[in-house]
Amino acid sequence: MTRATLLYKSDPVRGAVWDRVFREEAPDIALEVWSADAPPSDAAYLVAWIPPEDLARSAPKLEVLFGLGAGVDHLNLSSLPPGVQLVRMVDPDLTRSMVEYVLYAVLALHRDIPAYLADQREGRWAPRAVRRSADRTVGVMGLGVLGRAAAEALRDLGFAVRGWSASEKAIPGVACFAGPQALPDFLGACETLVCLLPLTGTTRGLLNAELFAALPEGAGLVNVGRGGHVVEADLLAALGSGQVSAAILDVLATEPPAPDHPLLRHPRVMLTPHVASATHPDSAARQVIRAIRRHREGLPLENTVDRRQAY
């Protein structure tokens, strides 16, 4: 079998890790660094966050594009050549990092940390009642790889957990809801709501005034999906009325936000700069190596994206 070639288009610092892993563990696969000045590549495989604009010219023999994230909403799927398979990154380290962040955020809301931080800034000493995790219901929107792992971890901490997704899912110990018709029932008990949905035409702007009104009064919000899920003006209004008591956000509609962005300085919002999870270069490289070898053996690829659904 001839040697395979993977074209790499991403951060050069991470690329050095990819180069080391491929040299040590995959001598059967050549790693070629993409350059805008280089002639068209014969590579059958490409890994990139943003692929070259003229993909058909840059890599005319391309068969598989490996995305460097769990989501593909940043890609123009219609621009990809029709015969190219698109594979999402499902990295165990990425999943663990996301679960860590979700647990931190839910526990911070559960233990009133945003309120205590506001008290500290104002010089107040005001203890609040401590609730048991079993007495709080957490809802997870999106039950893919990341959402399922987060729901299971929250369940194992003792929270009452419910999950919502577009299609039917079954997770032991988690009350699962599916489809638009089930959304009101799902939301009605969610004292903390976690968004881990993919960003699609259907989910864009889903976290809006109508959805916030369906939550119990004073619910908390965690968004680790995409900034486009939230109608930010509606969230500000819900925070102002107390319908949403506090929000922990890792993503915004525009990143980085302007210094005067109202959510950036809101006293009941905790913001992080899109760092909830990240693909780790060594484990990501090994995932791609395994996938290339499966593909060359004629086996079906895992974690492929359905372009019609965009996930």
Side-chain angles (χ1 to χ4, degrees), residues 117-139:
L117 290 174
D119 287 347
Q120 182 181 347
R121 286 190 290 267
E122 298 296 327
R124 289 191 296 268
W125 182 272
R128 291 166 172 77
V130 176
R131 293 177 61 185
R132 302 179 306 168
S133 58
D135 296 330
R136 184 179 297 274
T137 299
V138 180

Side-chain angles (χ1 to χ4, degrees), residues 23-37:
R23 282 189 289 104
E24 293 176 356
E25 302 181 23
D28 54 317
I29 305 170
L31 186 68
E32 176 183 310
V33 177
W34 177 87
S35 169
D37 301 324

Side-chain angles (χ1 to χ4, degrees), residues 99-162:
V99 169
E100 289 172 359
Y101 189 98
V102 170
L103 293 181
Y104 134 78
V106 170
L107 288 170
L109 293 171
H110 177 56
R111 297 304 303 266
D112 298 309
I113 299 304
Y116 284 128
L117 290 174
D119 287 347
Q120 182 181 347
R121 286 190 290 267
E122 298 296 327
R124 289 191 296 268
W125 182 272
R128 291 166 172 77
V130 176
R131 293 177 61 185
R132 302 179 306 168
S133 58
D135 296 330
R136 184 179 297 274
T137 299
V138 180
V140 178
M141 299 186 77
L143 296 175
V145 173
L146 300 180
R148 182 186 182 104
E152 290 173 338
L154 290 164
R155 175 203 63 197
D156 293 347
L157 276 180
F159 289 101
V161 182
R162 46 179 50 199

Side-chain angles (χ1 to χ4, degrees), residues 19 38 73 153 210 216 225 255 265 310:
D19 181 69
D73 54 275
E210 181 181 1
E255 298 175 358
R265 298 180 179 275

Side-chain angles (χ1 to χ4, degrees), residues 73 197-206 226 228-229 308-311:
D73 54 275
L197 290 165
L199 184 61
T200 66
T202 302
T203 64
R204 184 177 294 276
L206 184 60
R226 290 289 188 266
H229 286 125
R308 295 166 300 177
Q309 299 186 50
Y311 62 88

Side-chain angles (χ1 to χ4, degrees), residues 256-262 264-265:
D260 61 350
H261 193 294
L264 194 61
R265 298 180 179 275

